[in-house]
Amino acid sequence: LEDDRQAINAWVRSGGEFDAVIDFDAVLRDAKDPSRLSARAESPDHLHPANGSYKVLAEAIDLQLFVP
């Protein structure tokens, strides 16, 4: 499962299929263990971001991506 996630993320980041990528994985992952969410982002289910993380995700979006 983790290998699949990493392969898909690598393809999305470098596959050239998209005009731009907003890398939420990079924003929320644990720097010491990239296969896990960081402590500030982790929710009780250890899978989805904690409620407060959505603000962090929103702030990570470069709004210039949406300017024609």
Side-chain angles (χ1 to χ4, degrees):
L1 187 60
E2 178 61 19
D3 289 340
D4 291 339
R5 187 182 80 82
Q6 291 296 337
I8 292 166
N9 280 343
W11 175 78
V12 168
R13 291 177 182 125
S14 61
E17 297 293 320
F18 307 101
D19 294 333
V21 173
I22 302 168
D23 195 344
F24 289 154
D25 175 61
V27 173
L28 296 181
R29 70 180 166 222
D30 185 328
K32 294 179 183 174
D33 184 356
S35 68
R36 298 183 54 96
L37 290 169
S38 68
R40 70 174 182 169
E42 193 167 31
S43 68
D45 72 3
H46 306 289
L47 179 62
H48 298 92
N51 287 340
S53 298
Y54 292 100
K55 182 176 187 306
V56 173
L57 292 174
E59 291 170 348
I61 298 171
D62 178 1
L63 297 179
Q64 290 300 308
L65 293 173
F66 303 101
V67 175

